[in-house]
Amino acid sequence: AYSSRGNRRALRARRIPHDIPEKDDQKANRTRKGSRGGRPPTFRPQRYRQRNTIERLMNRRKQFRAVATRYDKLACRYRATVQIADILIWLRAKPDRPKP
């Protein structure tokens, strides 16, 4: 469902750039239809790999209960909660200490 036509259409309507790999069964169906199947969607593997970094950051943020459940009702308070979580994530990374 992640790479469905409906999802791609919704992202395009909102002008959100996307790099979603096409599943093998979807490729087979498109090629089976021939010219009626349409052209293949654009896919840039390098950009798709960079998505992993963002997903890992979001998973780290979700370890903080207030961020994952969104207790704050106001957007400015929620944004502040996310910033505090980011600071704690950054401090835990200990960038100023040399690796053993």
Side-chain angles (χ1 to χ4, degrees), residues 16 27-28 49 59 81 94 100:
I16 298 173
K27 284 181 191 176
R49 284 188 205 114
N59 288 334
T81 304
K94 301 173 190 162

Side-chain angles (χ1 to χ4, degrees), residues 46-61:
Q46 185 62 30
R47 186 158 184 232
Y48 184 71
R49 284 188 205 114
Q50 293 171 350
R51 195 176 126 255
N52 182 28
T53 306
I54 303 301
E55 285 184 2
R56 285 185 298 173
L57 171 63
M58 294 308 295
N59 288 334
R60 281 193 205 122
R61 283 179 174 172

Side-chain angles (χ1 to χ4, degrees), residues 61 64-87:
R61 283 179 174 172
F64 293 88
R65 186 175 178 184
V67 174
T69 56
R70 189 163 183 174
Y71 287 131
D72 303 311
K73 295 188 187 235
L74 297 177
C76 62
R77 288 187 184 154
Y78 181 70
R79 193 176 312 120
T81 304
V82 170
Q83 287 176 346
I84 291 170
D86 287 346
I87 290 169

